[in-house]
Amino acid sequence: MTSSSYFADNWYWMVAAGASGALLLWQQLKEGGASGGLSPALAVQLINKERAQVIDVCTPAEFAAAHVAGAKNVPLDEIAAGKGLPSNKKLPLVVVCAAGTRSAKAVAQLKAMGYENAQSLAGGLKAWREANLPIDKG
């Protein structure tokens, strides 16, 4: 039997495992998964498979300039009033803003109002555009 250690004999497997883990973590952070937001790809799945409603919390002027195709505009300062929100609180909601900051605040408000399936789009409209997904203007 040799006196070399397992780690010395198999160092290359450990380096490969560490690199693989680092790449997975990097991908998760890039997609916004660590921040709790949905990636554009996951948002599309929710919209297509679970008929999620897209709620855009931008100002009316921002919404008019560009928004996720099919989104409904409910500005952040109007969320608490509930006007324009779906009556079915179990319906999945994808909440969008320009970059993801306001939508995260809106999700907190929506969850406090009973919309447990509300999730923010990580990176907002900017990430949606970068994923080459459909945008409406006007």
Side-chain angles (χ1 to χ4, degrees):
M1 189 167 238
T2 63
S3 62
S4 63
S5 75
Y6 176 81
F7 294 108
D9 291 342
N10 296 293
W11 66 269
Y12 44 89
W13 292 114
M14 290 179 204
V15 169
S20 175
L23 285 172
L24 288 172
L25 177 63
W26 177 78
Q27 184 67 27
Q28 183 75 5
L29 292 172
K30 180 180 166 194
E31 290 183 1
S35 68
L38 291 172
S39 69
L42 289 174
V44 168
Q45 286 180 356
L46 268 179
I47 294 164
N48 290 339
K49 293 183 180 176
E50 298 185 35
R51 299 182 357 180
Q53 171 71 51
V54 180
I55 304 293
D56 189 313
V57 296
C58 290
T59 65
E62 290 172 311
F63 183 80
H67 56 270
V68 171
K72 185 170 191 174
N73 186 221
V74 182
L76 178 60
D77 59 358
E78 296 176 17
I79 288 286
K83 186 178 177 185
L85 294 174
S87 58
N88 180 359
K89 292 187 176 186
K90 293 184 181 187
L91 183 70
L93 300 178
V94 175
V95 185
V96 182
C97 68
T101 306
R102 287 177 284 178
S103 61
K105 290 177 185 176
V107 165
Q109 288 182 20
L110 288 164
K111 288 191 176 191
M113 294 166 63
Y115 291 92
E116 289 300 318
N117 292 321
Q119 297 184 65
S120 175
L121 177 66
L125 187 61
K126 181 177 184 260
W128 189 265
R129 282 182 198 232
E130 289 172 356
N132 294 317
L133 293 166
I135 293 177
D136 286 342
K137 295 181 182 182

